[in-house]
Amino acid sequence: MAAVVSASRVVAGASSSVALSRGRAQLKAVKMGKAQTRGSMVVVAAGAVANGYASALVEACADAKALDSVHGDIETITAYMAANPAMSTFLANPTMEPKKKKDVLAKLGKEASFHPFTSNFLNLLVDKARIGQLDAIAEEFEALYCASTDTQVATVTSAVKLENEQQFMIAKKIQEMTGAKNIKLKPEVDPSLLGGFVVTYGKDGSGYIDMSVAGQVRQLKNDIVVA
């Protein structure tokens, strides 16, 4: 928008038609700026809504000693939706009858033995037309759950899939380093590491451990360049 203003000043002595064109360009730029601002506000509002629902669920579960059970249920349904994108589309469809959504969720809940709190919460999201934001709500719930249970989340990326024993040893080491009561590992596979693994943990991945072959090669390269 500054460029447009600058241009309008340069052609201040031009004809009225040119000035009018410049004026329209400025108005368009202002409208675009307002649209971008509204978009940012929508994102913030959506995040606040997700956090509000997630916070209410955590508090209700904590009071009833049901936090771990409901946490397991939320992990189950989000994993199911990730594996079945059609489910997410179905739940987010505003034209689909709420009863049909509840019936599908009830069937899933019965098969997975959901805690009553989980089933009630999912029905509430349907009633409030927020079920389409389940992924965002689940993400907020996960963060709040980890904070309330002193759980450190760590992502371990390896060249090949790690065995359970290997994951356990890595989790134990991170627990010793962070002092966290619990450790939750998120395993990922990246063949480009060539061998070994990389661990990221802490806020915004501030903690970093590189035990990969690719990392060792980079370090050797740097040592040669410095030498």
Side-chain angles (χ1 to χ4, degrees), residues 196-214:
F197 59 88
V198 172
V199 179
T200 54
Y201 62 93
K203 187 176 181 180
D204 301 324
S206 56
Y208 186 77
I209 303 173
D210 190 346
M211 299 294 289
S212 68
V213 172

PDB file of all heavy atoms in Angstrom, residues 196-214:
ATOM      1  N   GLY A 196      21.071 -44.087  12.279  1.00  0.00           N
ATOM      2  CA  GLY A 196      20.937 -43.365  13.536  1.00  0.00           C
ATOM      3  C   GLY A 196      19.597 -42.664  13.650  1.00  0.00           C
ATOM      4  O   GLY A 196      18.609 -43.043  13.012  1.00  0.00           O
ATOM      5  N   PHE A 197      19.564 -41.593  14.462  1.00  0.00           N
ATOM      6  CA  PHE A 197      18.297 -40.903  14.694  1.00  0.00           C
ATOM      7  C   PHE A 197      18.534 -39.459  15.139  1.00  0.00           C
ATOM      8  O   PHE A 197      19.642 -39.088  15.552  1.00  0.00           O
ATOM      9  CB  PHE A 197      17.473 -41.629  15.753  1.00  0.00           C
ATOM     10  CG  PHE A 197      18.162 -41.754  17.085  1.00  0.00           C
ATOM     11  CD1 PHE A 197      18.057 -40.754  18.045  1.00  0.00           C
ATOM     12  CD2 PHE A 197      18.950 -42.867  17.377  1.00  0.00           C
ATOM     13  CE1 PHE A 197      18.711 -40.850  19.271  1.00  0.00           C
ATOM     14  CE2 PHE A 197      19.603 -42.977  18.601  1.00  0.00           C
ATOM     15  CZ  PHE A 197      19.485 -41.971  19.547  1.00  0.00           C
ATOM     16  N   VAL A 198      17.461 -38.671  15.058  1.00  0.00           N
ATOM     17  CA  VAL A 198      17.472 -37.280  15.510  1.00  0.00           C
ATOM     18  C   VAL A 198      16.271 -37.091  16.425  1.00  0.00           C
ATOM     19  O   VAL A 198      15.175 -37.551  16.114  1.00  0.00           O
ATOM     20  CB  VAL A 198      17.381 -36.292  14.323  1.00  0.00           C
ATOM     21  CG1 VAL A 198      17.200 -34.862  14.833  1.00  0.00           C
ATOM     22  CG2 VAL A 198      18.603 -36.393  13.441  1.00  0.00           C
ATOM     23  N   VAL A 199      16.490 -36.424  17.565  1.00  0.00           N
ATOM     24  CA  VAL A 199      15.406 -36.191  18.519  1.00  0.00           C
ATOM     25  C   VAL A 199      15.212 -34.693  18.720  1.00  0.00           C
ATOM     26  O   VAL A 199      16.186 -33.958  18.920  1.00  0.00           O
ATOM     27  CB  VAL A 199      15.710 -36.836  19.891  1.00  0.00           C
ATOM     28  CG1 VAL A 199      14.563 -36.559  20.864  1.00  0.00           C
ATOM     29  CG2 VAL A 199      15.935 -38.334  19.744  1.00  0.00           C
ATOM     30  N   THR A 200      13.967 -34.249  18.634  1.00  0.00           N
ATOM     31  CA  THR A 200      13.633 -32.860  18.951  1.00  0.00           C
ATOM     32  C   THR A 200      12.606 -32.871  20.069  1.00  0.00           C
ATOM     33  O   THR A 200      11.688 -33.692  20.071  1.00  0.00           O
ATOM     34  CB  THR A 200      13.056 -32.115  17.732  1.00  0.00           C
ATOM     35  OG1 THR A 200      11.940 -32.835  17.207  1.00  0.00           O
ATOM     36  CG2 THR A 200      14.105 -31.976  16.643  1.00  0.00           C
ATOM     37  N   TYR A 201      12.765 -31.964  21.023  1.00  0.00           N
ATOM     38  CA  TYR A 201      11.841 -31.909  22.157  1.00  0.00           C
ATOM     39  C   TYR A 201      11.841 -30.497  22.719  1.00  0.00           C
ATOM     40  O   TYR A 201      12.605 -29.628  22.278  1.00  0.00           O
ATOM     41  CB  TYR A 201      12.252 -32.919  23.239  1.00  0.00           C
ATOM     42  CG  TYR A 201      13.606 -32.674  23.835  1.00  0.00           C
ATOM     43  CD1 TYR A 201      13.756 -31.914  24.996  1.00  0.00           C
ATOM     44  CD2 TYR A 201      14.763 -33.169  23.221  1.00  0.00           C
ATOM     45  CE1 TYR A 201      15.010 -31.668  25.537  1.00  0.00           C
ATOM     46  CE2 TYR A 201      16.018 -32.926  23.762  1.00  0.00           C
ATOM     47  CZ  TYR A 201      16.126 -32.177  24.917  1.00  0.00           C
ATOM     48  OH  TYR A 201      17.387 -31.925  25.431  1.00  0.00           O
ATOM     49  N   GLY A 202      11.002 -30.267  23.708  1.00  0.00           N
ATOM     50  CA  GLY A 202      10.927 -28.941  24.311  1.00  0.00           C
ATOM     51  C   GLY A 202      10.043 -28.010  23.522  1.00  0.00           C
ATOM     52  O   GLY A 202       9.518 -28.354  22.457  1.00  0.00           O
ATOM     53  N   LYS A 203       9.854 -26.805  24.031  1.00  0.00           N
ATOM     54  CA  LYS A 203       9.009 -25.815  23.384  1.00  0.00           C
ATOM     55  C   LYS A 203       9.562 -25.445  22.018  1.00  0.00           C
ATOM     56  O   LYS A 203      10.719 -25.068  21.870  1.00  0.00           O
ATOM     57  CB  LYS A 203       8.907 -24.559  24.255  1.00  0.00           C
ATOM     58  CG  LYS A 203       7.902 -23.537  23.730  1.00  0.00           C
ATOM     59  CD  LYS A 203       7.773 -22.358  24.677  1.00  0.00           C
ATOM     60  CE  LYS A 203       6.756 -21.366  24.146  1.00  0.00           C
ATOM     61  NZ  LYS A 203       6.616 -20.189  25.057  1.00  0.00           N
ATOM     62  N   ASP A 204       8.718 -25.578  21.002  1.00  0.00           N
ATOM     63  CA  ASP A 204       9.102 -25.254  19.619  1.00  0.00           C
ATOM     64  C   ASP A 204      10.318 -26.043  19.150  1.00  0.00           C
ATOM     65  O   ASP A 204      11.088 -25.576  18.302  1.00  0.00           O
ATOM     66  CB  ASP A 204       9.372 -23.754  19.467  1.00  0.00           C
ATOM     67  CG  ASP A 204       8.158 -22.902  19.828  1.00  0.00           C
ATOM     68  OD1 ASP A 204       7.037 -23.345  19.533  1.00  0.00           O
ATOM     69  OD2 ASP A 204       8.339 -21.823  20.418  1.00  0.00           O
ATOM     70  N   GLY A 205      10.517 -27.248  19.713  1.00  0.00           N
ATOM     71  CA  GLY A 205      11.630 -28.087  19.280  1.00  0.00           C
ATOM     72  C   GLY A 205      12.984 -27.517  19.626  1.00  0.00           C
ATOM     73  O   GLY A 205      13.970 -27.728  18.909  1.00  0.00           O
ATOM     74  N   SER A 206      13.047 -26.763  20.741  1.00  0.00           N
ATOM     75  CA  SER A 206      14.312 -26.123  21.132  1.00  0.00           C
ATOM     76  C   SER A 206      15.374 -27.138  21.547  1.00  0.00           C
ATOM     77  O   SER A 206      16.575 -26.896  21.437  1.00  0.00           O
ATOM     78  CB  SER A 206      14.069 -25.136  22.282  1.00  0.00           C
ATOM     79  OG  SER A 206      13.448 -25.789  23.387  1.00  0.00           O
ATOM     80  N   GLY A 207      14.940 -28.313  22.048  1.00  0.00           N
ATOM     81  CA  GLY A 207      15.883 -29.360  22.397  1.00  0.00           C
ATOM     82  C   GLY A 207      16.204 -30.206  21.169  1.00  0.00           C
ATOM     83  O   GLY A 207      15.295 -30.589  20.421  1.00  0.00           O
ATOM     84  N   TYR A 208      17.477 -30.478  20.949  1.00  0.00           N
ATOM     85  CA  TYR A 208      17.859 -31.164  19.710  1.00  0.00           C
ATOM     86  C   TYR A 208      19.038 -32.106  19.958  1.00  0.00           C
ATOM     87  O   TYR A 208      20.059 -31.706  20.517  1.00  0.00           O
ATOM     88  CB  TYR A 208      18.243 -30.128  18.648  1.00  0.00           C
ATOM     89  CG  TYR A 208      18.520 -30.692  17.272  1.00  0.00           C
ATOM     90  CD1 TYR A 208      17.486 -31.070  16.429  1.00  0.00           C
ATOM     91  CD2 TYR A 208      19.833 -30.842  16.808  1.00  0.00           C
ATOM     92  CE1 TYR A 208      17.742 -31.571  15.156  1.00  0.00           C
ATOM     93  CE2 TYR A 208      20.101 -31.344  15.548  1.00  0.00           C
ATOM     94  CZ  TYR A 208      19.040 -31.710  14.730  1.00  0.00           C
ATOM     95  OH  TYR A 208      19.286 -32.219  13.474  1.00  0.00           O
ATOM     96  N   ILE A 209      18.868 -33.363  19.566  1.00  0.00           N
ATOM     97  CA  ILE A 209      19.926 -34.366  19.677  1.00  0.00           C
ATOM     98  C   ILE A 209      20.096 -35.019  18.305  1.00  0.00           C
ATOM     99  O   ILE A 209      19.143 -35.595  17.765  1.00  0.00           O
ATOM    100  CB  ILE A 209      19.573 -35.459  20.704  1.00  0.00           C
ATOM    101  CG1 ILE A 209      19.289 -34.853  22.083  1.00  0.00           C
ATOM    102  CG2 ILE A 209      20.699 -36.480  20.800  1.00  0.00           C
ATOM    103  CD1 ILE A 209      18.768 -35.859  23.084  1.00  0.00           C
ATOM    104  N   ASP A 210      21.282 -34.918  17.736  1.00  0.00           N
ATOM    105  CA  ASP A 210      21.530 -35.488  16.411  1.00  0.00           C
ATOM    106  C   ASP A 210      22.517 -36.645  16.529  1.00  0.00           C
ATOM    107  O   ASP A 210      23.715 -36.439  16.741  1.00  0.00           O
ATOM    108  CB  ASP A 210      22.077 -34.417  15.464  1.00  0.00           C
ATOM    109  CG  ASP A 210      22.120 -34.894  14.013  1.00  0.00           C
ATOM    110  OD1 ASP A 210      21.980 -36.111  13.783  1.00  0.00           O
ATOM    111  OD2 ASP A 210      22.272 -34.053  13.114  1.00  0.00           O
ATOM    112  N   MET A 211      21.997 -37.852  16.404  1.00  0.00           N
ATOM    113  CA  MET A 211      22.830 -39.054  16.447  1.00  0.00           C
ATOM    114  C   MET A 211      22.763 -39.782  15.103  1.00  0.00           C
ATOM    115  O   MET A 211      22.971 -40.992  15.033  1.00  0.00           O
ATOM    116  CB  MET A 211      22.350 -39.988  17.562  1.00  0.00           C
ATOM    117  CG  MET A 211      22.407 -39.385  18.961  1.00  0.00           C
ATOM    118  SD  MET A 211      24.104 -39.059  19.496  1.00  0.00           S
ATOM    119  CE  MET A 211      24.687 -40.732  19.737  1.00  0.00           C
ATOM    120  N   SER A 212      22.494 -39.024  14.049  1.00  0.00           N
ATOM    121  CA  SER A 212      22.348 -39.626  12.728  1.00  0.00           C
ATOM    122  C   SER A 212      23.676 -39.675  11.988  1.00  0.00           C
ATOM    123  O   SER A 212      24.598 -38.893  12.272  1.00  0.00           O
ATOM    124  CB  SER A 212      21.341 -38.836  11.891  1.00  0.00           C
ATOM    125  OG  SER A 212      21.854 -37.549  11.577  1.00  0.00           O
ATOM    126  N   VAL A 213      23.749 -40.563  11.017  1.00  0.00           N
ATOM    127  CA  VAL A 213      24.949 -40.656  10.179  1.00  0.00           C
ATOM    128  C   VAL A 213      25.099 -39.392   9.342  1.00  0.00           C
ATOM    129  O   VAL A 213      26.201 -38.851   9.180  1.00  0.00           O
ATOM    130  CB  VAL A 213      24.866 -41.900   9.260  1.00  0.00           C
ATOM    131  CG1 VAL A 213      26.026 -41.888   8.259  1.00  0.00           C
ATOM    132  CG2 VAL A 213      24.888 -43.179  10.082  1.00  0.00           C
ATOM    133  N   ALA A 214      23.966 -38.906   8.836  1.00  0.00           N
ATOM    134  CA  ALA A 214      24.000 -37.687   8.024  1.00  0.00           C
ATOM    135  C   ALA A 214      24.535 -36.524   8.850  1.00  0.00           C
ATOM    136  O   ALA A 214      25.297 -35.686   8.353  1.00  0.00           O
ATOM    137  CB  ALA A 214      22.598 -37.363   7.503  1.00  0.00           C
TER     138      ALA A 214
END
